[in-house]
Amino acid sequence: MIGSGPTSAAVAVVTSLGVVFAPAAPTPAEARVECGWRITATHVLAELDGDESERAQAWRAALTEIGADRPGFVPTTCYTTPGPSDTRDSGDSGDSGASGAAGNTGNRSNDHENGSSAAPDAGSPGPPTGPTSGTPASGDTAGEVFGWGVPDVVDDFTGTGLGAGWNAYDGPGHAGNGTRSPDAATVTDGVLTIDGTGDGTTAGLAWTAHSQKYGRWEVRMRAPTGSPSYNALALLWPTQENFPVGGEIDFAEIMNPARDTIELFLHYGADNSQVHGELNIDAAAWHNYAVEWTPHGVTAFVDGREWWKTTDTSILPPGPMHLCLQLDWFPRGDGETGRMQVDWVKQWGLAAGEGPSTDTAGSEGSTDADSSTTVTDEINNNTGRS
């Protein structure tokens, strides 16, 4: 039963987010904030899809009133890398959640002042000694195993703030629960850390400047702190903000509080259908999670090995996508904190006519809505390009 709290919160969202409609020609910092809350509003509205509770209806009405359901609600400028005048001093640790330095456009190039680079990262040696420690050697990556070449863009989080092209969510949390705060995302010692409090203050980041249709993404991450209420994930989100028809690929979602599994969800269709995969793995430790999306299907990799694949082209996303990193709060009354850490992210485009990296068939049952794969021979699928 919805109470005055959620309703008041929804009204507060309309009031607080609506004020940005008035100003013209915002400063670069204001523009980043505007992108943050607009992206947040569209994501929250999408996350409410299928939820007909009274609370969800109140949120849906509030977000619809501010126009979060309308095409163009998120300006196209949110999906471009800031220009030189928009760069942020890498020493400005007080604004760690905002977009960072400028980047060049074009294939295989992106400036790297606050963490973005065209060169791949080798990782930092030494085993972790605690939740905020550095990372061990990178180990096998799909990019190296399958010869994807030099990434088009990399962020290895070497500065004190986010690199080029990131937008931090700013506003209500996942499905309207808790709060998305840019301050919950920090960059220190080459690692991006997203923290979540016991009352649901957490962060989400969208790499909006690097949207593309088809390609490859790889993320080195871990979730060292388990909580029943926090899911850590890396995903591809539709740039047109047209979920569910625009699809969604959660290629590395850590849901189990024991942090001993990784899950994949590919959303598709107007009814938000899903296909699913699951792999037993120590998700509290560092691993390299990759996804490859081609016109022929979607393949997921961990530490350079294929573990899930679909070749059903009817369920593929219809348009461009961009990478998101999120620590989502699903309140279960436990009051525990959550944490996820990311060492680096990499992205490759797909050359014309280029096919998938492996010639394996799709995972058994991978196009069924209730499909699930566990540790099977798929983990050993290291065949060459088809």
Side-chain angles (χ1 to χ4, degrees), residues 214-226:
Y214 306 128
R216 299 166 176 128
W217 293 258
E218 192 156 23
V219 176
R220 180 166 178 78
M221 74 176 194
R222 67 174 181 171
T225 302

Side-chain angles (χ1 to χ4, degrees), residues 81-180:
T81 304
S85 62
D86 296 343
T87 60
R88 180 169 52 83
D89 185 347
S90 61
D92 183 8
S93 59
D95 190 26
S96 60
S99 297
N104 293 330
T105 58
N107 192 34
R108 307 288 184 194
S109 65
N110 190 61
D111 270 3
H112 170 59
E113 183 170 39
N114 280 346
S116 294
S117 173
D121 173 57
S124 304
T129 57
T132 59
S133 66
T135 62
S138 287
D140 290 337
T141 69
E144 294 169 345
V145 170
F146 297 103
W148 293 346
V150 178
D152 293 331
V153 62
V154 173
D155 199 330
D156 53 13
F157 306 107
T158 56
T160 57
L162 293 176
W166 292 101
N167 277 300
Y169 306 164
D170 189 5
H174 175 78
N177 295 312
T179 302
R180 298 283 198 185

Side-chain angles (χ1 to χ4, degrees), residues 319-338:
M321 311 278 277
H322 57 267
L323 176 70
C324 295
L325 303 173
Q326 298 176 188
L327 185 63
D328 289 348
W329 190 59
F330 295 80
R332 293 183 172 90
D334 56 281
E336 295 182 24
T337 61

